Amino acid sequence: MEKSDSLFLHYCSLICIFCLFFTSNSAVSQQQLPFFIQNFEKQEYNAENQNWSVTQDNRGFIYVANNSGLLEFDGVEWSFYPSPNGTVIRSVAVDHQDRIYTSGYREIGYWQREEQGKLVYHSLNQKAEALFSQNEEFWTTVIVDSKVYFHSFSSVFIYDGDEFRVIRANAPINSISDIGGRICLNISGQGLFFVEDTLLLPFLVQPELKNDLVHFCTTLEDSSLLIGTASNGLFRYKDDMLTPFIEEWNSYFSENKINRGAISGNGNIVIGTLLDGMIIFDQQGNFLQHISKVNGLQNNTVLGIHCDGENNIWLSLDRGVDFISFHVDPSYTIYEYGDIGAVYSAVLYKGELYLGTNQGLFYRHWKDNDDNFRFIAGTQGQVWSCDVFDDQLIVGHNLGTFRIENHIAKRISPISGGFSLTKDPLKSERLVQSTYSNIVFYEKQNQNWQYKYQLPDFLDLIRYIELDYFDNIWASHMHQGIYRLKLNDLHEVITDTRYYGDAVFGKDYDIQVFKIENRIIFTTGRQIYTYNDLNDSIIPYSYLNNELGIFAEAHRVIPGDDHHYWFIGKQGIGLFRISDTGISKIKEYPIGLFKDHLIAGYEYIFPLSSKEGLLCLDNGYALLRADQPDLSFGIEDKRLMVKNIEIKGRSGVVKNLPLEQSIFRIPYNRNSLTLSYAFPIFSHG
C-alpha cells in the first residue's frame, strides 16, 4: 500500500512549502496578506513546461491541459495521459458527469474513467472532423448545461452529446465566455455577441470593445458584467452603461497585458497577466494581492486560472503549475531570504536577530520585518553556534570563536570549529566548548569572556558537550560514540576517560548528548538513554521513551523556558513539557512541512518563549507558535479515496481490479497487492 504511507505528511508538505510576506510593487502599494504557494515543476508532473488551462472535477481532482497531454492531480500524485494525436492540448473542462473534455489542434474529445480507475480517451473527431477547416485549432472549451462549446479562432463547435453544429464568424473569434448560462463571443473589430442556437446576436458593440481584444467576461455579485481587455484595462457593464473599472490600474494593465480573469470562491476578482503574474481585487475594485515571480510564481505568464471551492487558486503557467492558498496556518510561518545562506544557529540579542549561516553572521532588527539583514564584517565562512552568556554574544565559527560587540567581531579563541558552548554548572564563571579538535575553556577577564586554556591529552572531533554535577564532561563525537571525561579539581587535567559505543547503544554512530531537567541523556535515533549514577552505567530511559512516543527516536533535544523541550526527529518536531509532575506534549509539527528546507543533521531551534521557537532553515527560518491551533481540523472528516487496485505475480504482469467491487478473490500466483489512494483536499495543513 505504498501510496498510502504518510499521506497526511505529504498533504501538509503540499500546501505549506512557502509562507510569503511582501508589499506590492504595483500601481497601488498596500500591505498584502500572507499566502502559501506550491510550485509544481515539470520534473514532478512529468510533462512539458507549458500549461494552457486548469480545472477540477466533482471529486476535487485537478486537471491541466499541457503541451504534451492531460495532467491529473489527486492530492497525492500526478498522472500524465499523453495527447491522443501527439499535439498540444489547449483546453480542459469537466461536465457534471465528470467527463473531462479536452481540445487542441484538429482534435476534440473527452476522457472517462474506466472501472479500474484509469482515464480512457474518446475522440469526437469522427463526428466533427468533416466540419473542421484546414487548420482548425481549438483554444477554449466551455460547458453550459448539457452542451459543450469548443472555440477556435474561426468557429465555435457546439456538441449536444449526440451531434455537432458549427457557428462561423466573418472575423476572428478572440474569446468565449459563460455569462450566467449564456455564451458570449468577442469577434475582432465587432464587439461582444451572444450565441442563440446557431445565431450571433449583437450584445456590446461600443468602440472601447469593438476596437480592442476582449480576453474574458465574468459576472460580479451585483449581476454586473466584468470585462477584461488587452489594451484598455477592465470595464464594468451594468444598467446599460459601460464604464471603466479600476482606472488607476489601466497603465499597469496596458503594460503587462490582461490575459485571464476569474472570480474566487469568496468573490474576489483574480486577474492573470501575460507579463507580471496575478493581481487580486475585491468586488469594489480595492487592491488585495499581487503575486508574481518576485514572490513565488514559477513564471509571470498566466495562461489559465481555476478558483476552487475552498478559495484556493490554481494557475496554469507558461512554465509549470502553481497552487496558491490564503488559508494561513497560524502555528508556523516560513520566512525566506535568498542571500544569507543556510542557517545553522540563531539568537536574539539586544533587540536584534542574529543568524549564523554557512556564509557568516547576519543581523537585523527583530521587530521590523521590513529591515534587511546586514553582514558582520570578519565573519565570512561557517558559523556553528550563537549564544548569549551574561549579556555577551559569543559566536562559534570555522575560524575560531568571536565575541560580538556593537556589531564588531572580536576573536577570543583561535581554535577552529567552535561547535557547542555551555556553562559549567559548578562554576558560573566558566564556559566549556567543543571544537574540531580540542575541548576549550573560557573564563571572565575584566568582565569579558576570554579564552583560558584547552584540555591537554584529548584531541577529537566533538559535536555536542554537556557537564553534569559530578564534574564529568560528556562529549558526543561527530561520527562515533560518546566520551565521558573526569577532570581533576582544577579542571585542567583528565584523570579518567571512558568511551561508550556499540556495546551500550547497539551502534557507534549518530549518538548525541543533551540534558533534560539537569539529567544527562543520549539520543540514538532509536530510543533515548540516560546515565545512571547509582551503578555508573548508561541505560535506556524507559519512562521518557514510553511517554514521548515517536519522539523517543529524536536525534536533537533543545531546552526552552519553563521545563519545555523541543525534540527533532525524522518524523517531525515536537514540543513537550517535562517536569516532576509529568510529561505532556504541547505540539507536533510533521517534518514534511519543512523537509525541503531543513539542514539534515544540523537542525536547530532557538526558543523565543516556552511555546515559541525559531527553526533554522536553508536560506531562512520558520517561526513556530505551539500555542496556536493548526488547520488539521479541516481534514478530520475527510476520507481517502481508493484510486487504483493492482495485483501482480512473479512475471511482473499487472492486472487492475474494478473499484466498484468490495470483495476480491486474488490468485495465489498474483498475491502482490498495491493500493493507490487519492486525497484531493488542498486547503488545510
Side-chain angles (χ1 to χ4, degrees), residues 159-393:
Y159 178 60
D160 63 6
D162 181 35
E163 61 181 7
F164 281 88
R165 290 176 296 165
V166 181
I167 296 175
R168 308 281 186 192
N170 56 8
I173 302 173
N174 299 314
S175 64
I176 179 172
S177 303
D178 173 10
I179 302 176
R182 300 186 72 183
I183 294 296
C184 181
L185 307 182
N186 172 232
I187 300 177
S188 185
Q190 300 180 35
L192 296 180
F193 291 75
F194 278 128
V195 173
E196 290 290 347
D197 196 21
T198 57
L199 300 177
L200 294 176
L201 304 180
F203 172 38
L204 296 176
V205 293
Q206 290 89 331
E208 300 95 316
L209 304 182
K210 181 185 294 188
N211 300 323
D212 203 348
L213 300 180
V214 174
H215 284 305
F216 75 87
C217 300
T218 189
T219 306
L220 298 178
E221 290 176 349
D222 63 357
S223 299
S224 63
L225 184 64
L226 180 68
I227 303 168
T229 69
S231 301
N232 294 317
L234 298 172
F235 290 89
R236 186 177 177 219
Y237 179 72
K238 186 178 183 182
D239 298 331
D240 297 326
M241 295 285 293
L242 183 70
T243 56
F245 187 61
I246 325 179
E247 280 188 278
E248 64 270 26
W249 282 77
N250 276 1
S251 61
Y252 172 85
F253 288 139
S254 177
E255 178 182 352
N256 294 288
K257 306 301 180 186
I258 291 174
N259 191 47
R260 293 288 183 267
I263 305 298
S264 68
N266 58 3
N268 290 330
I269 299 166
V270 182
I271 305 295
T273 74
L274 286 176
L275 300 177
D276 198 32
M278 178 183 74
I279 310 289
I280 302 177
F281 303 91
D282 65 19
Q283 296 248 340
Q284 288 71 48
N286 299 307
F287 168 80
L288 298 178
Q289 197 82 34
H290 176 211
I291 304 175
S292 68
K293 195 171 181 180
V294 171
N295 54 357
L297 290 189
Q298 295 178 79
N299 180 268
N300 278 337
T301 301
V302 177
L303 299 178
I305 302 172
H306 173 70
C307 301
D308 67 23
E310 299 293 334
N311 300 326
N312 306 306
I313 299 172
W314 294 84
L315 300 180
S316 52
L317 304 170
D318 198 45
R319 186 180 184 88
V321 178
D322 282 356
F323 166 81
I324 301 157
S325 175
F326 299 94
H327 296 267
V328 178
D329 189 331
S331 68
Y332 76 97
T333 307
I334 294 176
Y335 296 86
E336 287 203 311
Y337 302 90
D339 55 355
I340 63 174
V343 182
Y344 284 75
S345 185
V347 72
L348 287 184
Y349 179 62
K350 294 186 176 180
E352 294 174 325
L353 172 64
Y354 286 80
L355 299 181
T357 81
N358 63 342
Q359 297 182 18
L361 184 66
F362 296 82
Y363 75 97
R364 73 165 177 83
H365 294 293
W366 171 236
K367 295 297 184 181
D368 185 1
N369 285 330
D370 294 328
D371 190 26
N372 294 321
F373 276 100
R374 292 174 284 271
F375 177 71
I376 301 289
T379 65
Q380 293 91 338
Q382 178 69 58
V383 174
W384 292 113
S385 66
C386 299
D387 297 285
V388 175
F389 293 101
D390 298 342
D391 202 34
Q392 295 180 37
L393 175 56

Side-chain angles (χ1 to χ4, degrees), residues 553-574:
E553 301 173 6
H555 55 264
R556 185 81 192 261
V557 181
I558 301 160
D561 296 341
D562 188 30
H563 308 282
H564 286 74
Y565 296 84
W566 294 94
F567 290 77
I568 303 176
K570 292 182 178 179
Q571 298 296 319
I573 297 171

Side-chain angles (χ1 to χ4, degrees), residues 559-662:
D561 296 341
D562 188 30
H563 308 282
H564 286 74
Y565 296 84
W566 294 94
F567 290 77
I568 303 176
K570 292 182 178 179
Q571 298 296 319
I573 297 171
L575 178 63
F576 289 79
R577 191 177 192 277
I578 302 175
S579 67
D580 294 339
T581 60
I583 300 175
S584 58
K585 184 168 73 173
I586 308 301
K587 182 76 172 180
E588 176 180 350
Y589 293 90
I591 206 68
L593 299 178
F594 315 107
K595 68 176 181 178
D596 294 329
H597 305 277
L598 289 172
I599 307 168
Y602 295 93
E603 302 93 341
Y604 179 69
I605 295 173
F606 173 70
L608 299 167
S609 65
S610 61
K611 295 181 181 179
E612 293 181 302
L614 186 150
L615 173 65
C616 296
L617 301 173
D618 188 15
N619 285 316
Y621 58 85
L623 294 183
L624 310 182
R625 306 176 187 89
D627 58 342
Q628 296 292 319
D630 58 31
L631 299 178
S632 60
F633 64 85
I635 63 170
E636 290 176 354
D637 61 344
K638 308 298 183 183
R639 291 189 175 185
L640 301 174
M641 300 180 188
V642 179
K643 184 182 176 185
N644 190 37
I645 305 174
E646 296 179 350
I647 58 173
K648 66 179 179 180
R650 291 185 177 180
S651 66
V653 177
V654 174
K655 179 181 179 181
N656 292 294
L657 301 180
L659 298 178
E660 290 78 10
Q661 285 185 223
S662 57

